[in-house]
């Protein structure tokens, strides 16, 4: 309580507002700053949270800054910059969680693939894709692995589509390019397979794709 408030209290009731001890002399009443300057300085340096934290305010600061904080509406309500920072932090956290979940599902799919349980693998890869969010390379890998399982089930058109989704996310994904070419060959689309294996930027720098291109061309001769 401020000194003026204490004196007003003392005029009405001669006892300490905190401990209720009797006070016989108004001179016994003073503010902390006057009564104990050292204690007052310590109090002002104590770190506190906003008294209205229950309403969502995350502010923390020195006790001496509380009044200024409460009367500064832009700070108390949160600036757009602060809100943007909170949203970015939440988004980053969600992305990391999504990535971890997708990675776990992908690993389960890989285990099913190794056991030649291709339908189960496809289901797990699809789930990984759905929870993967914007984790591009991871989701691209799931699309490519799903394409591999589809290829083993001779679902070549679906395999091509899954490869193309992987390539959209990662245009440099050599395995997806090659698997798409293999699936197109199985569909009898030799010309398209050869074209896609040669007329892209990645094709011109990948020895693996050049070898696959030559193999496809050899099948048509």
């Amino acid at each position: 309580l401020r000194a003026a408030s204490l004196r007003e209290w003392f005029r009405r009731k001669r006892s300490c507002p905190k401990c209720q001890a009797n006070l016989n002399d108004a001179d016994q009443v003073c503010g902390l700053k006057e009564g104990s300057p050292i204690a007052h300085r310590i109090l002002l340096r104590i770190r506190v949270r906003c008294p209205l934290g229950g309403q969502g305010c995350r502010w923390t600061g020195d006790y001496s800054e509380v009044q200024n904080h409460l009367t500064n509406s832009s700070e108390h309500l949160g600036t757009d910059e602060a809100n943007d920072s909170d949203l970015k932090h939440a988004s980053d956290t969600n992305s990391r969680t999504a990535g971890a979940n997708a990675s776990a599902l992908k690993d389960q799919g890989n285990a099913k693939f190794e056991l030649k349980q291709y339908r189960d693998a496809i289901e797990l890869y699809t789930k990984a894709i759905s929870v993967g969010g914007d984790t591009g390379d991871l989701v691209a890998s799931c699309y490519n692995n799903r394409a591999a399982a589809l290829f083993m089930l001779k679902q070549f058109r679906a395999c091509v589509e899954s490869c193309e989704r992987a390539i959209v996310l990662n245009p440099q994904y050599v395995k997806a390019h090659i698997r798409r070419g293999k699936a197109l060959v199985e569909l009898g689309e030799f010309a398209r397979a050869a074209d896609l294996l040669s007329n892209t930027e990645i094709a011109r720098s990948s020895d693996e794709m050049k070898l696959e291109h030559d193999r496809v061309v050899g099948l048509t001769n």
Side-chain angles (χ1 to χ4, degrees), residues 1 24 36 49 83 96 111 137 158 163 186:
L1 293 174
N24 298 319
S36 179
R49 296 179 180 178
N83 290 336
R96 287 193 295 271
D137 287 345
C163 287
E186 294 296 330

Side-chain angles (χ1 to χ4, degrees), residues 78-186:
T79 62
D80 290 341
E81 182 179 352
N83 290 336
D84 289 345
S85 177
D86 290 342
L87 289 172
K88 183 179 185 301
H89 175 72
S91 177
D92 291 344
T93 300
N94 290 338
S95 294
R96 287 193 295 271
T97 301
N101 292 339
S103 182
L105 288 166
K106 177 192 170 187
D107 289 343
Q108 293 174 37
N110 291 345
K112 293 293 185 181
F113 188 95
E114 291 297 322
L115 294 172
K116 298 184 179 181
Q117 298 175 4
Y118 301 121
R119 296 187 188 282
D120 290 341
I122 290 169
E123 182 178 350
L124 288 163
Y125 292 138
T126 301
K127 287 181 179 179
I129 291 165
S130 68
V131 303
D134 58 357
T135 49
D137 287 345
L138 175 58
V139 173
S141 177
C142 292
Y143 273 120
N144 183 60
N145 288 8
R146 187 175 73 175
L150 289 165
F151 189 95
M152 298 304 294
L153 293 175
K154 301 186 184 302
Q155 297 182 25
F156 302 119
R157 184 62 64 191
C159 174
V160 170
E161 293 173 357
S162 199
C163 287
E164 289 178 342
R165 288 180 178 272
I167 292 167
V168 167
L169 292 171
N170 182 2
Q172 309 301 312
Y173 206 158
V174 171
K175 286 184 178 180
H177 283 281
I178 291 176
R179 181 162 287 116
R180 178 177 62 179
K182 290 180 181 294
L184 288 170
V185 167
E186 294 296 330

Side-chain angles (χ1 to χ4, degrees), residues 14 20 47 91-92 96 105 199 201:
R14 292 179 177 273
Q20 304 302 316
R47 299 290 291 178
S91 177
D92 291 344
R96 287 193 295 271
L105 288 166
N199 292 332
E201 182 177 349

Side-chain angles (χ1 to χ4, degrees), residues 57 59 65-79:
C57 180
W59 179 87
E65 300 170 338
V66 172
Q67 184 174 1
N68 182 60
H69 164 68
L70 291 174
T71 56
N72 184 337
S73 59
S74 64
E75 182 179 11
H76 183 255
L77 296 177
T79 62

